[in-house]
Amino acid sequence: GAVVSQHPSWVICKSGTSVKIECRSLDFQATTMFWYRQFPKQSLMLMATSNEGSKATYEQGVEKDKFLINHASLTLSTLTVTSAHPEDSSFYICSATNQETQYFGPGTRLLVL
Amino acid sequence: QKEVEQDPGPLSVPEGAIVSLNCTYSNSAFQYFMWYRQYSRKGPELLMYTYSSGNKEDGRFTAQVDKSSKYISLFIRDSQPSDSATYLCAMSPGAGSYQLTFGKGTKLSVIP
C-alpha cells in the first residue's frame, strides 16, 4: 500500500509555544490530505481538509487561526498548532488520498505542558 | 441516529477463531467502504476497501457489503494474537478525495 509519513512522531512543548507537524506522501502524489485528531479510546475526528495550492477547509468547531494548515506541494502538508495549550494535547493523524482511498500516517503525539 | 454505528466491544476470542466485525449505516449516499486496523498509539492501516455489494477476500480477511441492508462486515479467519487491535469501518460517497465517515471502532483481543 501507499506510504504516508509524519514528523515528528511525538513532541512535548511548553504552553504558549507553536508546534509544526509534517505529513508526507512518500510514493504517490496527493492532491488532498486530511488532518484528524484522536483522543484516547475515541475514534478519529476530522479537523480539516487540505487541498494542494488552496486554503484548507475546516470542520465546524475547529479554529482555523489556531490550527494552521499549509499544503504547498503534492507530497507535503503541514499542521501548525499555534499557542498550544494543555487541552491541545492529543494524537494528530494525517491521511493522504490517491485516486482510490485514504492512507494514514503513523500519527504525532503532542503533549503540551 | 449516528451515520455509522459500530459496536465498540471489547471483543475477546481465542486464537484460531473466526472473528466477525460489523457496521451499519444510515446514509444511502455511501458507496465506498473501508476497513482499517489501528494498533495502540499508531495510525490506522488500510486493510481492505470495496465499492460493490458482495464479498471481497484478501488472505485471511473477507469484507462483505450489503447495500440493501446498509450493513458491512469484516471476517478474520484463523485469528492470531497479532490481530489484536482496534478495527475501524469507514465509508464515503465515492473514491479518492471524499471525507470518510468512521465508526467508533471495535477493540479486538485474540487470546493465545
Side-chain angles (χ1 to χ4, degrees):
Chain A
V3 179
V4 177
S5 70
Q6 274 185 248
H7 177 80
S9 56
W10 60 270
V11 58
I12 302 173
C13 68
K14 292 182 179 179
S15 185
T17 60
S18 294
V19 174
K20 180 186 282 188
I21 302 170
E22 292 187 350
C23 176
R24 293 182 186 270
S25 56
L26 298 184
D27 53 0
F28 66 101
Q29 293 185 329
T31 54
T32 303
M33 291 184 173
F34 298 90
W35 286 96
Y36 296 83
R37 183 164 53 180
Q38 187 176 35
F39 292 104
K41 298 185 179 182
Q42 294 189 21
S43 191
L44 288 79
M45 292 174 48
L46 179 64
M47 298 176 66
T49 302
S50 168
N51 291 298
E52 186 265 338
S54 63
K55 290 184 179 180
T57 302
Y58 291 82
E59 294 301 297
Q60 192 172 10
V62 178
E63 299 175 57
K64 61 180 180 181
D65 294 330
K66 181 168 186 61
F67 298 99
L68 301 178
I69 292 172
N70 183 282
H71 193 159
S73 78
L74 288 173
T75 59
L76 173 64
S77 177
T78 61
L79 168 68
T80 301
V81 184
T82 62
S83 186
H85 289 97
E87 58 265 29
D88 298 324
S89 299
S90 189
F91 191 48
Y92 292 87
I93 310 173
C94 72
S95 71
T97 64
N98 60 9
Q99 296 305 310
E100 292 188 319
T101 192
Q102 289 188 32
Y103 295 90
F104 285 84
T108 296
R109 190 160 300 280
L110 171 64
L111 177 60
V112 184
L113 302 177
Chain B
Q1 181 187 12
K2 293 187 188 297
E3 280 195 295
V4 180
E5 299 275 4
Q6 183 177 10
D7 187 340
L11 178 63
S12 291
V13 300
E15 184 175 354
I18 297 175
V19 176
S20 173
L21 305 166
N22 312 294
C23 289
T24 59
Y25 62 97
S26 57
N27 189 346
S28 57
F30 291 142
Q31 297 295 320
Y32 219 71
F33 305 92
M34 287 136 282
W35 285 95
Y36 290 89
R37 175 174 63 194
Q38 187 175 25
Y39 292 110
S40 181
R41 298 174 179 263
K42 299 290 185 183
E45 171 194 7
L46 179 66
L47 287 176
M48 300 187 73
Y49 64 90
T50 182
Y51 47 82
S52 56
S53 283
N55 294 350
K56 181 178 181 180
E57 190 173 318
D58 184 0
R60 296 186 295 113
F61 299 92
T62 300
Q64 189 176 79
V65 174
D66 183 347
K67 290 185 181 179
S68 62
S69 301
K70 297 189 177 65
Y71 187 88
I72 68 170
S73 300
L74 178 71
F75 298 97
I76 307 174
R77 290 185 299 280
D78 188 24
S79 56
Q80 303 295 311
S82 58
D83 295 328
S84 299
T86 295
Y87 289 79
L88 298 155
C89 66
M91 45 198 80
S92 67
S97 302
Y98 287 88
Q99 293 180 5
L100 297 181
T101 300
F102 284 91
K104 284 195 169 184
T106 300
K107 186 174 173 62
L108 171 68
S109 295
V110 180
I111 311 301

